[in-house]
Amino acid sequence: MTAASSVRHGPKAELEGCVARHARAPLTGAWELDWLPVYAPLDPARIMESTCHRCRVVSYEYLLIGGAFAIRRTDATLGTPKLHETPRVRRKLADQWWAALVSGAAH
């Protein structure tokens, strides 16, 4: 195991000096977003915000896709990344989901 992989998977998952946004661990009582599997080909999307993908094996992207908004979760826990997205919704609801996700109120 390399030093980078032990940091990436350890309890202190952030790399020293990393300035990217990191989603908080889910808080007690956090609610679960509805995650749907994503299949190739991916629809074109603009990434509005994202969390760090180097320090954590699970990262998130807040997306604009064809006039609707969604959150994409990339989970590389088992090595091969698995993609899931929330349903596509209006911006106000997606903003609420994103804020809850990065604060640990949702997962």
Side-chain angles (χ1 to χ4, degrees):
M1 179 181 288
T2 67
S5 65
S6 65
V7 170
R8 187 172 186 209
H9 299 286
K12 293 185 178 181
E14 288 138 29
L15 292 172
E16 188 175 324
C18 182
V19 296
R21 183 177 210 162
H22 296 87
R24 284 188 65 177
L27 303 170
T28 302
W31 47 277
E32 186 168 358
L33 290 167
D34 187 17
W35 295 107
L36 309 170
V38 175
Y39 303 101
L42 298 177
D43 291 335
R46 173 177 285 165
I47 299 171
M48 307 298 285
E49 294 188 54
S50 63
T51 64
C52 185
H53 64 276
R54 292 184 49 210
C55 300
R56 306 258 173 112
V57 292
V58 179
S59 61
Y60 302 94
E61 296 171 320
Y62 182 25
L63 307 171
L64 172 59
I65 308 169
F69 294 83
I71 299 171
R72 181 176 296 152
R73 178 181 69 193
T74 303
D75 185 343
T77 303
L78 301 176
T80 302
K82 291 190 174 21
L83 300 177
H84 291 84
E85 283 181 7
T86 62
R88 295 174 187 180
V89 296
R90 293 179 184 220
R91 185 173 197 150
K92 185 175 181 178
L93 181 56
D95 284 346
Q96 293 169 353
W97 288 352
W98 181 255
L101 183 65
V102 297
S103 71
H107 64 98

